[in-house]
Amino acid sequence: MQNPATGDITVPYGMAVWSTGIGTRPFVVDFMKQIGQANRRVLATDEWLRVRECDDVYAVGDCATINQRRVMEDISEIFRVADKDKSGTLTVKEIQDILEDIYVRYPQVKLYMKSKQLNGIADLIRTGKGDTEKESVELSIEEFKKALSLVDSQVKNLPATAQVAAQQGQYLATCFNKMQTAEENPEGPIRIRGEGRHRFNPFRYRHLGQFAPLGGEQTAAQLPGDWVSIGHSSQWLWYSVYATKQISWRTRALVISDWGRRFIFGRDSSGI
């Protein structure tokens, strides 16, 4: 609201309200210093929600962010695992044999193919090798690198929302309950750096939609399938979703009763 040059107020106002975000909790800050992450805003975890360099410590919610492994960081190891006959080249069939594990370990590959409307692995590697119609076509490691060079552009950080934290909590609860079984029968993707398989599949966030209250009992809603709605009906949809997400019937009753009092008596702003 100030002119940077003169310092004068350029926008007339009656009352200015400044809203800012919250800082990292001291407990998390101290822990980050102990593990060498003091220069970060939040904890860095891997795709299994384990804090980096701390295999037995997990972090969920807005105190952490997932550092998705880049394909190009492991491209040589991926090539080695896929090259089962040790020929120094890859055929389309060899890539297809490991493709599902690549999709699970590096979801950006599938997102990139979808964004570019590629129908299969043959379309993806066409940028590295011209004719991929035959399964016997062979790619060198340089051609393989060229084909996958842009897939990491699809890596994105998850939003710091309750929806993400709730799904992360459910994921970890499932993993902990199956820990002993997974030790004997791992269900995750092939270890690109190492032997065997990971115990579990990495965490994958499923976006179920989002709401933005607009005031006047109206809400903007964005739901899966790029369905967008604005109005009073979206507000009631938000009410129903919010109520069902409460953890107990007691909190549901309290929330709904608060809404009822507000509808009857209006919003109490006397404490502002």
Side-chain angles (χ1 to χ4, degrees):
M1 300 174 70
Q2 275 190 335
N3 186 321
T6 64
D8 296 332
I9 301 297
T10 58
V11 180
Y13 66 95
M15 177 178 68
V17 179
W18 175 40
S19 176
T20 187
I22 59 174
T24 307
R25 295 187 67 84
F27 170 79
V28 178
V29 173
D30 292 341
F31 179 59
M32 292 171 70
K33 291 177 181 178
Q34 293 176 32
I35 62 174
Q37 294 191 21
N39 60 336
R40 297 181 53 86
R41 293 178 61 251
V42 292
L43 285 163
T45 72
D46 63 13
E47 299 89 330
W48 289 267
L49 308 184
R50 296 173 300 200
V51 177
R52 292 286 185 182
E53 312 304 331
C54 302
D55 286 347
D56 296 325
V57 180
Y58 298 82
V60 302
D62 57 5
C63 75
T65 185
I66 298 174
N67 278 7
Q68 173 62 49
R69 188 80 179 176
R70 267 50 173 182
V71 170
M72 296 310 293
E73 293 175 345
D74 294 336
I75 192 70
S76 297
E77 294 299 315
I78 296 172
F79 189 91
R80 177 187 62 80
V81 172
D83 186 18
K84 295 180 180 178
D85 61 3
K86 309 303 179 185
S87 64
T89 59
L90 293 183
T91 65
V92 174
K93 187 179 185 308
E94 283 179 320
I95 299 173
Q96 288 174 335
D97 289 342
I98 197 178
L99 193 58
E100 283 304 317
D101 289 296
I102 292 176
Y103 284 162
V104 174
R105 187 67 181 84
Y106 308 96
Q108 61 265 40
V109 175
K110 200 165 190 175
L111 291 174
Y112 178 80
M113 292 175 65
K114 183 178 179 181
S115 69
K116 298 299 182 182
Q117 298 182 336
L118 304 178
N119 295 322
I121 191 63
D123 288 344
L124 177 62
I125 64 178
R126 185 170 285 122
T127 55
K129 190 94 170 181
D131 181 15
T132 58
E133 295 303 320
K134 298 179 180 178
E135 288 191 347
S136 60
V137 66
E138 296 183 348
L139 281 81
S140 67
I141 188 169
E142 292 303 321
E143 291 168 336
F144 189 59
K145 287 180 179 180
K146 182 180 178 182
L148 299 175
S149 61
L150 299 178
V151 298
D152 288 327
S153 63
Q154 293 297 314
V155 174
K156 296 179 176 63
N157 291 330
L158 296 178
T161 62
Q163 183 178 177
V164 173
Q167 292 185 28
Q168 289 175 333
Q170 293 169 352
Y171 166 81
L172 281 183
T174 301
C175 291
F176 292 160
N177 287 330
K178 298 192 299 182
M179 190 73 75
Q180 186 173 355
T181 303
E183 290 284 357
E184 301 172 358
N185 300 295
E187 58 188 42
I190 292 175
R191 293 182 183 272
I192 299 300
R193 295 179 179 270
E195 301 297 329
R197 289 183 170 272
H198 291 277
R199 289 178 298 183
F200 306 104
N201 286 324
F203 170 74
R204 289 292 172 263
Y205 169 62
R206 182 186 176 195
H207 186 60
L208 300 177
Q210 54 191 350
F211 294 90
L214 304 176
E217 293 300 318
Q218 296 192 67
T219 290
Q222 180 266 320
L223 299 176
D226 293 329
W227 184 77
V228 177
S229 174
I230 299 175
H232 296 287
S233 60
S234 298
Q235 177 74 17
W236 285 100
L237 179 61
W238 180 83
Y239 284 143
S240 63
V241 171
Y242 192 91
T244 57
K245 290 296 182 181
Q246 301 304 306
I247 60 175
S248 68
W249 285 104
R250 177 180 177 275
T251 54
R252 290 190 188 103
L254 290 173
V255 167
I256 293 173
S257 65
D258 286 342
W259 289 340
R261 287 197 298 271
R262 193 193 69 201
F263 282 130
I264 297 172
F265 302 108
R267 190 184 298 276
D268 183 9
S269 59
S270 59
I272 297 180

